[in-house]
Short mmCIF file of all heavy atoms in Angstrom, two decimals:
data_model
loop_
_atom_site.label_atom_id
_atom_site.label_comp_id
_atom_site.label_asym_id
_atom_site.label_seq_id
_atom_site.Cartn_x
_atom_site.Cartn_y
_atom_site.Cartn_z
N ALA A 6 -119.97 -0.43 -22.45
CA ALA A 6 -119.97 0.79 -21.62
C ALA A 6 -118.82 1.70 -22.06
O ALA A 6 -118.97 2.88 -21.96
CB ALA A 6 -119.83 0.36 -20.19
N LYS A 7 -117.77 1.13 -22.62
CA LYS A 7 -116.58 1.90 -23.00
C LYS A 7 -116.50 2.05 -24.49
O LYS A 7 -115.54 2.72 -24.95
CB LYS A 7 -115.35 1.29 -22.36
CG LYS A 7 -115.29 1.29 -20.88
CD LYS A 7 -114.01 0.73 -20.34
CE LYS A 7 -113.94 0.74 -18.83
NZ LYS A 7 -112.65 0.13 -18.34
N ASN A 8 -117.36 1.50 -25.21
CA ASN A 8 -117.27 1.49 -26.69
C ASN A 8 -115.92 1.02 -27.20
O ASN A 8 -115.31 1.64 -28.06
CB ASN A 8 -117.53 2.95 -27.25
CG ASN A 8 -119.00 3.30 -27.19
OD1 ASN A 8 -119.76 2.56 -26.69
ND2 ASN A 8 -119.36 4.44 -27.87
N THR A 9 -115.54 -0.07 -26.68
CA THR A 9 -114.23 -0.66 -27.08
C THR A 9 -114.43 -2.18 -27.37
O THR A 9 -115.32 -2.87 -26.83
CB THR A 9 -113.13 -0.42 -26.04
OG1 THR A 9 -113.57 -1.06 -24.76
CG2 THR A 9 -112.84 1.03 -25.80
N MET A 10 -113.53 -2.67 -28.21
CA MET A 10 -113.48 -4.09 -28.62
C MET A 10 -111.99 -4.47 -28.56
O MET A 10 -111.18 -3.62 -28.73
CB MET A 10 -114.03 -4.30 -29.96
CG MET A 10 -113.88 -5.78 -30.38
SD MET A 10 -114.51 -6.01 -32.05
CE MET A 10 -113.56 -5.07 -33.09
N SER A 11 -111.80 -5.70 -28.16
CA SER A 11 -110.41 -6.19 -28.04
C SER A 11 -110.18 -7.51 -28.76
O SER A 11 -111.15 -8.21 -28.99
CB SER A 11 -110.00 -6.32 -26.55
OG SER A 11 -109.99 -5.09 -25.94
N LEU A 12 -108.90 -7.84 -29.04
CA LEU A 12 -108.63 -9.10 -29.66
C LEU A 12 -107.35 -9.55 -28.92
O LEU A 12 -106.28 -8.92 -29.06
CB LEU A 12 -108.38 -9.06 -31.10
CG LEU A 12 -108.08 -10.35 -31.83
CD1 LEU A 12 -109.37 -11.23 -31.81
CD2 LEU A 12 -107.59 -10.14 -33.24
N HIS A 13 -107.46 -10.49 -28.07
CA HIS A 13 -106.32 -11.11 -27.37
C HIS A 13 -105.81 -12.22 -28.25
O HIS A 13 -106.46 -13.18 -28.59
CB HIS A 13 -106.77 -11.69 -26.04
CG HIS A 13 -107.14 -10.64 -24.97
ND1 HIS A 13 -108.38 -10.02 -25.11
CD2 HIS A 13 -106.48 -10.17 -23.94
CE1 HIS A 13 -108.46 -9.16 -24.04
NE2 HIS A 13 -107.33 -9.21 -23.36
N MET A 14 -104.52 -12.05 -28.58
CA MET A 14 -103.83 -13.01 -29.43
C MET A 14 -102.74 -13.74 -28.72
O MET A 14 -101.81 -13.11 -28.28
CB MET A 14 -103.28 -12.26 -30.71
CG MET A 14 -104.40 -11.45 -31.45
SD MET A 14 -103.75 -10.69 -32.99
CE MET A 14 -102.52 -9.60 -32.32
N ASN A 15 -102.84 -15.05 -28.60
CA ASN A 15 -101.85 -15.91 -27.92
C ASN A 15 -101.23 -16.88 -28.95
O ASN A 15 -101.78 -17.05 -30.02
CB ASN A 15 -102.46 -16.64 -26.83
CG ASN A 15 -103.00 -15.74 -25.68
OD1 ASN A 15 -102.36 -14.74 -25.38
ND2 ASN A 15 -104.13 -16.10 -25.20
N SER A 16 -100.11 -17.39 -28.55
CA SER A 16 -99.43 -18.41 -29.42
C SER A 16 -99.25 -17.90 -30.87
O SER A 16 -99.56 -18.56 -31.78
CB SER A 16 -100.15 -19.72 -29.35
OG SER A 16 -100.32 -20.16 -28.06
N LEU A 17 -98.80 -16.68 -30.97
CA LEU A 17 -98.69 -16.07 -32.30
C LEU A 17 -97.71 -16.78 -33.14
O LEU A 17 -96.69 -17.27 -32.74
CB LEU A 17 -98.33 -14.60 -32.13
CG LEU A 17 -99.47 -13.72 -31.75
CD1 LEU A 17 -99.04 -12.35 -31.17
CD2 LEU A 17 -100.48 -13.52 -32.84
N LYS A 18 -98.04 -16.86 -34.47
CA LYS A 18 -97.20 -17.48 -35.51
C LYS A 18 -96.81 -16.47 -36.54
O LYS A 18 -97.50 -15.44 -36.73
CB LYS A 18 -98.07 -18.60 -36.16
CG LYS A 18 -98.65 -19.61 -35.25
CD LYS A 18 -99.50 -20.60 -35.94
CE LYS A 18 -100.19 -21.61 -35.04
NZ LYS A 18 -101.03 -22.57 -35.74
N PRO A 19 -95.73 -16.72 -37.25
CA PRO A 19 -95.32 -15.80 -38.32
C PRO A 19 -96.49 -15.54 -39.34
O PRO A 19 -96.60 -14.42 -39.87
CB PRO A 19 -94.17 -16.50 -38.94
CG PRO A 19 -93.47 -17.30 -37.81
CD PRO A 19 -94.71 -17.75 -37.00
N GLU A 20 -97.24 -16.60 -39.64
CA GLU A 20 -98.34 -16.38 -40.53
C GLU A 20 -99.49 -15.49 -40.00
O GLU A 20 -100.39 -15.11 -40.77
CB GLU A 20 -98.95 -17.75 -41.03
CG GLU A 20 -99.32 -18.68 -39.86
CD GLU A 20 -98.20 -19.66 -39.54
OE1 GLU A 20 -97.01 -19.29 -39.48
OE2 GLU A 20 -98.50 -20.91 -39.31
N ASP A 21 -99.40 -15.13 -38.75
CA ASP A 21 -100.35 -14.16 -38.27
C ASP A 21 -99.97 -12.64 -38.63
O ASP A 21 -100.72 -11.70 -38.33
CB ASP A 21 -100.51 -14.22 -36.75
CG ASP A 21 -101.16 -15.58 -36.29
OD1 ASP A 21 -102.07 -15.98 -36.98
OD2 ASP A 21 -100.64 -16.11 -35.28
N THR A 22 -98.79 -12.52 -39.18
CA THR A 22 -98.30 -11.23 -39.54
C THR A 22 -99.20 -10.57 -40.60
O THR A 22 -99.54 -11.15 -41.62
CB THR A 22 -96.92 -11.22 -40.11
OG1 THR A 22 -96.02 -11.70 -39.12
CG2 THR A 22 -96.44 -9.92 -40.61
N ALA A 23 -99.73 -9.37 -40.25
CA ALA A 23 -100.70 -8.69 -41.10
C ALA A 23 -101.09 -7.35 -40.53
O ALA A 23 -100.66 -7.03 -39.37
CB ALA A 23 -102.03 -9.52 -41.31
N VAL A 24 -101.78 -6.54 -41.34
CA VAL A 24 -102.43 -5.36 -40.74
C VAL A 24 -103.76 -5.83 -40.28
O VAL A 24 -104.58 -6.46 -41.03
CB VAL A 24 -102.53 -4.23 -41.79
CG1 VAL A 24 -103.33 -3.02 -41.16
CG2 VAL A 24 -101.17 -3.76 -42.26
N TYR A 25 -104.10 -5.53 -39.02
CA TYR A 25 -105.37 -5.94 -38.40
C TYR A 25 -106.37 -4.72 -38.44
O TYR A 25 -106.00 -3.58 -37.97
CB TYR A 25 -105.16 -6.44 -37.08
CG TYR A 25 -104.57 -7.87 -37.01
CD1 TYR A 25 -103.23 -8.13 -37.46
CD2 TYR A 25 -105.37 -8.95 -36.69
CE1 TYR A 25 -102.79 -9.30 -37.51
CE2 TYR A 25 -104.84 -10.24 -36.69
CZ TYR A 25 -103.50 -10.42 -37.09
OH TYR A 25 -103.03 -11.73 -37.12
N TYR A 26 -107.58 -4.99 -38.84
CA TYR A 26 -108.61 -3.92 -38.88
C TYR A 26 -109.83 -4.32 -38.01
O TYR A 26 -110.25 -5.50 -38.06
CB TYR A 26 -109.05 -3.82 -40.29
CG TYR A 26 -108.02 -3.36 -41.32
CD1 TYR A 26 -107.30 -4.36 -41.99
CD2 TYR A 26 -107.83 -2.07 -41.56
CE1 TYR A 26 -106.33 -4.04 -42.92
CE2 TYR A 26 -106.83 -1.63 -42.52
CZ TYR A 26 -106.13 -2.70 -43.19
OH TYR A 26 -105.18 -2.28 -44.12
N CYS A 27 -110.42 -3.36 -37.35
CA CYS A 27 -111.69 -3.61 -36.74
C CYS A 27 -112.77 -3.05 -37.59
O CYS A 27 -112.52 -2.10 -38.39
CB CYS A 27 -111.77 -3.03 -35.30
SG CYS A 27 -111.62 -1.22 -35.17
N ALA A 28 -113.94 -3.61 -37.52
CA ALA A 28 -115.03 -3.17 -38.36
C ALA A 28 -116.39 -3.40 -37.68
O ALA A 28 -116.51 -4.27 -36.92
CB ALA A 28 -115.00 -4.02 -39.67
N ALA A 29 -117.39 -2.53 -38.11
CA ALA A 29 -118.74 -2.64 -37.52
C ALA A 29 -119.69 -3.23 -38.58
O ALA A 29 -119.61 -2.84 -39.72
CB ALA A 29 -119.17 -1.24 -37.10
N ASP A 30 -120.55 -4.07 -38.10
CA ASP A 30 -121.51 -4.69 -38.90
C ASP A 30 -122.53 -3.66 -39.55
O ASP A 30 -122.65 -2.64 -39.00
CB ASP A 30 -122.38 -5.68 -38.06
CG ASP A 30 -123.12 -6.69 -38.77
OD1 ASP A 30 -123.28 -6.53 -40.09
OD2 ASP A 30 -123.63 -7.68 -38.20
#
């Protein structure tokens, strides 16, 4: 309804460091 997507990230680790991209199929 809002044309939005989310990513909830918990227990983050140093190896999660990156640029994060959203993409459409």
Side-chain angles (χ1 to χ4, degrees):
K7 297 182 178 179
N8 282 12
T9 59
M10 177 178 65
S11 296
L12 185 69
H13 290 77
M14 305 186 296
N15 297 319
S16 303
L17 283 162
K18 305 175 181 180
E20 51 264 44
D21 294 319
T22 295
V24 178
Y25 283 70
Y26 300 89
C27 63
D30 196 348

